[in-house]
Amino acid sequence: MISMLQQCYMVPQFRYSVLKAIDTNEVKMSEWKGRKYEDNLLVQFQRMFGFLESSDRNTYDPTDLIYSFK
């Protein structure tokens, strides 16, 4: 799954569409194994794409994204 997301990220039109998307849903926090995360797949995609776009680091921890992916 992660390699598929990397491929989506490499398509600029898709990446910028995800980053520009506005979610009007109420913020829903969830907890799993003592870790709190925002349970919204779009928000998690935006966080990951934003991190990859602006970070110099080579890795991203997709834990919150995986928790929100049901």
Side-chain angles (χ1 to χ4, degrees):
M1 178 175 126
I2 298 301
S3 63
M4 181 186 74
L5 294 176
Q6 288 174 328
Q7 290 176 0
C8 291
Y9 173 80
M10 296 307 292
V11 178
Q13 217 172 0
F14 181 80
R15 176 183 350 147
Y16 296 128
S17 294
V18 169
L19 289 170
K20 288 191 310 185
I22 298 172
D23 185 13
T24 58
N25 291 329
E26 184 179 315
V27 174
K28 180 183 174 194
M29 298 300 290
S30 294
E31 188 171 336
W32 192 71
K33 292 190 176 183
R35 181 182 175 132
K36 290 187 179 187
Y37 65 95
E38 188 168 348
D39 195 6
N40 184 317
L41 192 56
L42 175 61
V43 170
Q44 295 301 331
F45 270 115
Q46 289 174 326
R47 285 186 181 163
M48 180 182 66
F49 284 0
F51 176 88
L52 294 172
E53 179 81 15
S54 63
S55 178
D56 291 333
R57 291 178 49 197
N58 293 331
T59 60
Y60 174 76
D61 179 9
T63 304
D64 291 348
L65 173 69
I66 292 168
Y67 288 158
S68 67
F69 191 81
K70 296 178 184 82

